[in-house]
Amino acid sequence: PESNGKVVEMTYKPTGRNCLRAYLNNLRFGTFEEWEASSVDENAPLPAWTVERVPGGLVLRKVDADGGLHERRVTLDGDVVRCRTTLGNQGRRPRAWRLVVHPEWNVGTDSRDTTDLVACVRVGGRWRTFNRDLQADRGPDAALLGEGLGGGAMGWYNRREAFGLQLRYDPRPLQRLRTWWVSGYRQLNLELELAPTTLRPGRTVV
């Protein structure tokens, strides 16, 4: 809770495979969190989140000094993890938000070969591979993330070990899709950056 409300474990119990690598990285990296800016200062003090257990999941919530409410609801629905974020303004002045959904997924390999690991985005009703020769967020096919913004889905698949993950999203509030991949870290970011929004006092958005 005191470290930006990071989710540090998402284990698929039938196989025991953890989709996050936080326990191998001192809980600092390999997490699933949300940023309130396009990037974050890892050393900046952050307000603590509260955590509430609800049927099938958790609700993480914080209110900052200016009255900005940030709530994350993470629940299970069969094999699906459902995530819903609510932003609100409990203060006296308009509040600007620029939210980034920032998961660092454990892909189980450091191979740069797309015959081992494939990362895809939905473009025009088809899955398109974007991680060929990808380094950080640059690669010959990285522009497919821009083309796939309206497709509503992206994901990855480890072909050698036959497991993967699909991330579905509502494209309407989004400004762009983001990624990050450096093979030595064995983690792939599939990020959602929302369009900047300003909330008047008393308003919320989901």
Side-chain angles (χ1 to χ4, degrees), residues 99-172:
L99 194 72
V100 176
V101 180
H102 178 80
E104 301 176 348
W105 300 117
N106 177 14
V107 295
T109 180
D110 57 7
S111 175
R112 295 176 55 83
D113 190 338
T114 54
T115 62
D116 296 328
L117 176 70
V118 59
C120 299
V121 62
R122 197 82 170 161
V123 179
R126 296 174 51 218
W127 286 106
R128 301 286 302 277
T129 300
F130 68 80
N131 67 313
R132 178 172 62 96
D133 296 330
L134 187 69
Q135 178 67 20
D137 59 354
R138 299 178 182 273
D141 302 318
L144 288 169
L145 290 171
E147 297 177 33
L149 178 62
M154 55 179 172
W156 54 265
Y157 188 71
N158 182 323
R159 286 172 160 160
R160 288 200 172 199
E161 299 184 43
F163 75 98
L165 178 146
Q166 182 180 152
L167 188 156
R168 299 178 185 175
Y169 57 87
D170 180 355
R172 290 174 295 179

Side-chain angles (χ1 to χ4, degrees), residues 47-62:
W49 294 62
T50 62
V51 182
E52 176 189 358
R53 296 208 49 181
V54 296
L58 297 171
V59 176
L60 299 97
R61 185 183 296 110
K62 75 176 178 68

